[in-house]
Amino acid sequence: MEFGLSEEQTLLQDSINRYLSEELPLDQVRKIATGDVPDSSVWQGLTELGIPGLLIPEAQGGVGLGYLDAAIVSESLGYHVTPGPFLASAIIAPVALNLAGGQEALLSSIADGSRRVGIAFGEAVGARADAGFTVADGKISGKSLFALDSNADDYLVADADCNLYLVSAADVKRTNLSTVDMTRSTCELVYDNAEATLVSRDVNVFIEALDAGRTMQAADTLGAAQSMLDQAVAYSMQREQFDRLIASFQAVKHMCADMVANLEPCRAMVWYAGHALDELPDEKRLMACHTKAHLQEVGQQVAKTSTEVHGGMGFTDLVGLHYWFKRIGANRQLLGSPEMLREEAARIQGFAA
Amino acid sequence: MDLSFGQEYEEFRAEVRQFVEDNRDKQPKARDYRSEDAVAWQKKLIENGYTLRTIPKEYGGLGAEPDIIKSRIIAEEFGRAQMHTGLAGQGISMLTPILLEMGTEEQRQEFIRPTIVGEMDWCQGYSEPGSGSDLASLSTRAELDGDEWVINGQKIWTSGAHRADWIFCLVRTEPEARKHHGISFLLFKMDTPGIEVRPLVDMTMTPNFNEVFFTDVRVPKHQIVGKRGEGWQVANALLGFERGSLAPPDAAQSRLNALIKIMHQETINGERLIDNPLFRERLMKIQGRVMAMSYNDMRLLSARINKNQDTKLAAMVVKLQGTELRHELEGLAIDVMGEIGLSFGDNPYVRDAGTWQFQYMYYLGLIIGGGTNQIQRNIISERGLGMPREPRAKVK
Ligand SMILES: Cc1cc2nc3c(=O)[nH]c(=O)nc-3n(C[C@H](O)[C@H](O)[C@H](O)COP(=O)(O)OP(=O)(O)OC[C@H]3O[C@@H](n4cnc5c(N)ncnc54)[C@H](O)[C@@H]3O)c2cc1C
């Protein structure tokens, strides 16, 4: 029995961290966030490291790794507020396409970086009055909101019954929807009798893809929050007030200790959730819901506290701490808020109808 | 990540489950520590290897190889059934590990067996009226007179001193040395002449702790653990054991199960508590936190066998997080029960023998005891994150 990361997993995480610290300084994140540089610049580099094909079988040119491996990659991406379509194109879409079967060609082009697949899951996760669509005879009409990735080539669209369709970006009217999180894009998709290819009618395909996505969001928040904590401690060790390092003020120390106390147990929880997706079918649903919900609560506390430790500087664009703050905020809202997820956790255990 | 237990362990789990099934009615009531019942139960658990598995045979244990998976399975199965997991007094959880590590052979022979079966009960004499968080400033004196230490001074908040047979006690033996270097760790009987125990009623209205006064108490010279003046190191090793054991996640899991049961059984206005969405939301929130602490614990257990894992921070947060979590969990049970949740003591409507109110308060005590949670935060930030110590404010 060993509860922890294997040597290979540690190496994988080290190599991605090394790549991101060299290639993705905050300046670069800024340029992508403000639109001066396309997010494909980072995605290209990550493609060379095999990231889009992490979960794609080797037969389709992927790396064929497991969910826990993907979770630690996701943690690193969160730590470096990495722009790009990881959540949709490397996790949710490949998981669904692979389980659904018959999508080998598309999986290959995701793995080699030539296509990006976004997702539009709003109708299945939490339908809104200002969106909605119908599908009939292979044609889709209507609207999706907050589809992940404004630069995708195709979209995997879920309807209210969790059926999955593939729609080409070329056939839809797409408008970028700006959010606070400028490191990842979301958009509105308007369909006007567009081609919609049925990918799956199996609700379990949808659920597994969603669970995987939620677990990766939790991992992303773990990384982003860890970075905020590290930045808070580092800042406190160089900023002086009242002729002292602010790190020597107990109020500051206790804020940092509380961040550690909340965040450190989350690491084990995220690992376990990743492992559950790989190996524990009876637990994986509950883990995905609870892990995303819990990480978002802790992430929010860390995001606020770290900003406070930085004082007025934390509130400026100069130090850029807000990129992490907003990333964590986006992970909280997308694909299910904590309250929604906890109610789902209650349903999974038979505590709610 | 490899959580596979394998066939051997699945058989072991079946055994434990059978034991739990067969003995459900034979376990002692949760709160009557050290009754005949409890001692008999403790012996039975030790014989079967369900508690203190690794204590060597020559000191009254089973001498089992440390087997983290078996310990895990035992904890899981006992927790699932909300089964009494055995005695856990300060002699068992604090003194025994330290004697195993730092005691003389004679001390181990003399003390460990009776301690672990619950026949020899201990109290911890550390805190003094002027020395709580700043324990190293303690002033109870011990002076050597021939072959005996002569002790004068006072301890306070000494849990269980009124029923303890022995005390492990910190005393100042080298008043000239700097404060951390002048302390020794002594063991002595509580019926030694010159000891006066005055009960101190705590907020649960139980005289659980005491004031203990020493007037010319004479203790044989050899009843010292570690060397003269090294008591602080011995005590710190002990505090490590205490902190880890103050808030075990399996107990939290077991209480959570009990809370879930209550929420299915109790109704208000004909509605089951679990059907109230606000209560359910709070339950789920706590459940998520209990889960995080359980997996944190798995990680810590695993790090003990796979020495390459760095779990320093993960270990440091257990007391702080675990005690706060339990206090909230017990408080949630009280909240969902409404007026019934107020019941305490001899009230026909009291649920689960009043344990919810009792534990709610008790865990506030543990937030303060064993190094307050503010002191835990100091430790995490200074030793965990490398932040500087607070400069001392000088008295003007
Ligand atoms: C239920 C219970 C059981 C106990 N059992 C025992 C026992 O068996 N044996 C024994 O020896 N003792 C026992 N104690 C005593 C316990 O160890 C002390 O109460 C504890 O260490 C705090 O010391 P104090 O009460 O003097 O509080 P103080 O040290 O006076 O603290 C008061 C407040 O000041 C804060 N504070 C103090 N110093 C600092 C600092 N440096 N930084 C930030 N905040 C600070 C504390 O956090 C606290 O909030 C027990 C206590 C309780 C509540």
Side-chain angles (χ1 to χ4, degrees):
Chain A
M1 184 264 193
E2 180 162 9
F3 186 92
L5 302 182
S6 66
E7 212 170 303
E8 294 79 34
Q9 287 165 332
T10 312
L11 286 174
L12 172 68
Q13 194 164 40
D14 287 350
S15 73
I16 294 184
N17 280 337
R18 207 169 325 112
Y19 173 80
L20 292 172
S21 352
E22 283 163 15
E23 301 297 320
L24 193 66
L26 182 58
D27 257 4
Q28 191 64 15
V29 173
R30 245 183 237 289
K31 284 186 191 141
I32 296 168
T34 49
D36 294 348
V37 171
D39 67 359
S40 53
S41 58
V42 197
W43 196 236
Q44 219 160 0
L46 290 173
T47 302
E48 278 154 35
L49 295 176
I51 302 300
L54 270 185
L55 295 175
I56 294 175
E58 285 171 276
Q60 278 86 57
V63 198
L65 291 181
Y67 289 115
L68 178 56
D69 307 302
I72 60 175
V73 170
S74 185
E75 180 193 346
S76 295
L77 298 179
Y79 193 95
H80 297 275
V81 284
T82 312
F86 177 78
L87 182 61
S89 201
I91 303 295
I92 300 178
V95 168
L97 294 169
N98 189 42
L99 283 174
Q103 299 289 341
E104 288 72 15
L106 183 51
L107 284 167
S108 297
S109 8
I110 295 175
D112 69 20
S114 56
R115 285 190 95 75
R116 283 160 67 154
V117 179
I119 60 151
F121 275 15
E123 287 303 295
V125 175
R128 311 211 63 103
D130 25 27
F133 55 77
T134 52
V135 184
D137 302 328
K139 301 281 182 188
I140 182 169
S141 290
K143 193 201 284 181
S144 288
L145 287 181
F146 296 101
L148 301 187
D149 192 4
S150 305
N151 302 307
D153 302 290
D154 305 286
Y155 289 90
L156 195 61
V157 182
D159 69 15
D161 298 322
C162 308
N163 299 314
L164 293 172
Y165 303 91
L166 207 55
V167 180
S168 166
D171 296 341
V172 305
K173 187 164 159 277
R174 172 168 61 187
T175 315
N176 186 53
L177 296 178
S178 63
T179 71
V180 284
D181 176 17
M182 299 190 289
T183 63
R184 291 165 307 177
S185 59
T186 61
C187 57
E188 177 191 80
L189 302 176
V190 176
Y191 321 104
D192 182 10
N193 214 29
E195 198 82 36
T197 315
L198 180 69
V199 170
S200 157
R201 280 187 194 290
D202 182 353
V203 64
N204 293 314
V205 169
F206 167 80
I207 285 180
E208 173 123 356
L210 182 63
D211 286 346
R214 287 171 169 172
T215 305
M216 298 310 144
Q217 285 179 303
D220 189 274
T221 291
L222 173 67
Q226 184 66 52
S227 169
M228 289 194 85
L229 166 59
D230 292 349
Q231 292 183 66
V233 173
Y235 183 78
S236 75
M237 301 284 272
Q238 52 156 63
R239 168 80 174 163
E240 284 181 16
Q241 286 293 283
F242 300 96
D243 300 322
R244 282 163 63 177
L245 284 179
I246 60 163
S248 70
F249 292 116
Q250 200 171 53
V252 171
K253 284 157 68 176
H254 284 198
M255 283 198 274
C256 292
D258 278 335
M259 289 193 268
V260 174
N262 286 330
L263 191 59
E264 193 56 33
C266 291
R267 187 172 306 284
M269 191 180 200
V270 166
W271 289 350
Y272 192 84
H275 176 68
L277 278 168
D278 285 324
E279 306 279 349
L280 310 169
D282 295 345
E283 295 179 49
K284 61 185 182 184
R285 290 240 57 213
L286 185 65
M287 282 312 298
C289 291
H290 263 317
T291 305
K292 174 164 168 359
H294 183 65
L295 263 292
Q296 300 326 323
E297 302 294 3
V298 170
Q300 191 174 59
Q301 183 263 342
V302 171
K304 169 177 181 276
T305 310
S306 169
T307 308
E308 277 185 77
V309 168
H310 284 79
M313 200 45 86
F315 197 67
T316 66
D317 181 38
L318 284 175
V319 291
L321 204 62
H322 65 91
Y323 286 108
W324 283 265
F325 183 100
K326 294 165 180 174
R327 176 108 168 182
I328 291 169
N331 286 339
R332 187 177 168 97
Q333 300 315 121
L334 293 170
L335 302 184
S337 66
E339 288 76 12
M340 258 185 69
L341 289 163
R342 284 192 287 265
E343 187 62 359
E344 207 167 320
R347 276 202 297 277
I348 291 164
Q349 297 174 89
F351 300 160
Chain B
M1 186 73 68
D2 172 15
L3 304 181
S4 62
F5 287 172
Q7 186 55 26
E8 180 202 340
Y9 288 110
E10 288 319 315
E11 278 162 25
F12 180 75
R13 185 187 292 281
E15 256 170 59
V16 180
R17 215 170 259 187
Q18 191 61 46
F19 177 89
V20 166
E21 204 46 54
D22 295 345
N23 291 280
R24 221 178 257 282
D25 308 332
K26 298 179 193 126
Q27 54 174 334
K29 303 262 168 307
R31 280 169 63 186
D32 57 355
Y33 184 82
R34 229 197 150 209
S35 58
E36 249 173 61
D37 267 14
V39 170
W41 180 249
Q42 179 77 357
K43 285 184 175 162
K44 187 169 191 160
L45 292 184
I46 292 176
E47 274 164 28
N48 283 279
Y50 294 155
T51 188
L52 304 170
R53 301 171 44 77
T54 54
I55 308 256
K57 272 215 169 75
E58 61 263 42
Y59 311 131
L62 194 70
E65 284 291 303
D67 187 327
I68 163 180
I69 303 174
K70 285 190 174 167
S71 306
R72 180 79 219 157
I73 290 173
I74 296 163
E76 280 176 12
E77 293 302 320
F78 275 63
R80 202 196 308 275
Q82 291 164 48
M83 192 89 158
H84 194 299
T85 50
L87 301 177
Q90 292 175 322
I92 291 174
S93 61
M94 299 178 64
L95 183 64
T96 300
I98 208 66
L99 286 180
L100 283 170
E101 206 165 302
M102 304 186 179
T104 61
E105 185 53 31
E106 293 74 46
Q107 287 168 342
R108 292 182 200 158
Q109 291 289 350
E110 184 177 357
F111 297 120
I112 296 181
R113 195 202 61 81
T115 299
I116 62 174
V117 298
E119 285 168 2
M120 183 186 278
D121 193 19
W122 290 83
C123 62
Q124 172 203 29
Y126 288 7
S127 304
E128 299 180 3
S131 304
S133 297
D134 185 12
L135 184 60
S137 71
L138 62 88
S139 57
T140 290
R141 288 281 302 273
E143 282 165 6
L144 211 48
D145 178 23
D147 276 348
E148 291 176 325
W149 295 105
V150 181
I151 305 170
N152 283 285
Q154 188 205 333
K155 297 291 171 180
I156 189 170
W157 304 301
T158 323
S159 302
H162 53 294
R163 56 164 194 240
D165 307 299
W166 284 72
I167 183 169
F168 52 95
C169 193
L170 289 179
V171 294
R172 187 159 301 282
T173 48
E174 345 288 304
E176 325 70 35
R178 278 181 299 130
K179 71 178 185 181
H180 294 85
H181 299 273
I183 295 170
S184 297
F185 191 103
L186 302 184
L187 311 173
F188 49 96
K189 288 181 85 158
M190 284 299 285
D191 61 4
T192 315
I195 300 181
E196 190 197 342
V197 176
R198 289 189 206 150
L200 206 52
V201 174
D202 69 26
M203 73 181 284
T204 68
M205 301 313 280
T206 343
N208 272 325
F209 49 32
N210 306 268
E211 293 176 286
V212 182
F213 297 87
F214 305 117
T215 316
D216 293 331
V217 175
R218 302 188 80 88
V219 171
K221 185 181 162 186
H222 67 273
Q223 288 179 191
I224 181 169
V225 180
K227 293 209 185 72
R228 194 177 157 153
E230 290 181 359
W232 184 251
Q233 285 88 307
V234 177
N236 268 326
L238 276 176
L239 280 177
F241 287 111
E242 177 181 45
R243 282 180 191 143
S245 63
L246 278 181
D250 292 310
Q253 185 63 56
S254 169
R255 289 299 272 178
L256 183 75
N257 293 345
L259 170 57
I260 291 171
K261 198 161 140 198
I262 287 187
M263 291 180 65
H264 280 84
Q265 286 169 349
E266 303 281 337
T267 61
I268 288 181
N269 295 327
E271 181 189 59
R272 292 187 314 166
L273 302 179
I274 193 77
D275 295 330
N276 179 312
L278 294 178
F279 292 159
R280 196 164 61 222
E281 155 71 7
R282 285 181 63 190
L283 177 72
M284 288 300 99
K285 213 168 182 174
I286 291 260
Q287 184 178 46
R289 291 169 57 197
V290 170
M291 285 164 82
M293 290 313 288
S294 297
Y295 303 124
N296 189 63
D297 194 48
M298 270 199 198
R299 183 179 167 206
L300 292 175
L301 286 167
S302 168
R304 272 191 237 146
I305 45 173
N306 309 295
K307 302 266 185 243
N308 55 344
Q309 298 179 338
D310 176 11
T311 51
K312 184 168 100 176
L313 287 171
M316 277 185 175
V317 303
V318 172
K319 194 264 174 180
L320 170 58
Q321 279 296 59
T323 51
E324 301 283 352
L325 178 57
R326 271 302 285 284
H327 179 64
E328 271 185 56
L329 195 163
E330 307 289 333
L332 175 57
I334 294 167
D335 279 1
V336 298
M337 285 189 279
E339 295 100 325
I340 291 276
L342 277 178
S343 309
F344 193 58
D346 198 9
N347 169 336
Y349 300 100
V350 76
R351 302 297 200 262
D352 297 318
T355 51
W356 297 105
Q357 282 287 359
F358 180 83
Q359 300 277 2
Y360 176 61
M361 292 185 269
Y362 185 76
Y363 269 88
L364 178 53
L366 290 188
I367 284 171
I368 298 166
T372 71
N373 281 3
Q374 282 68 40
I375 296 296
Q376 300 304 317
R377 291 180 175 95
N378 290 351
I379 293 173
I380 292 168
S381 53
E382 288 166 16
R383 292 187 214 154
L385 297 174
M387 297 170 85
R389 294 185 56 138
E390 188 108 352
R392 275 154 215 285
K394 303 211 174 59
V395 179
K396 288 211 181 93

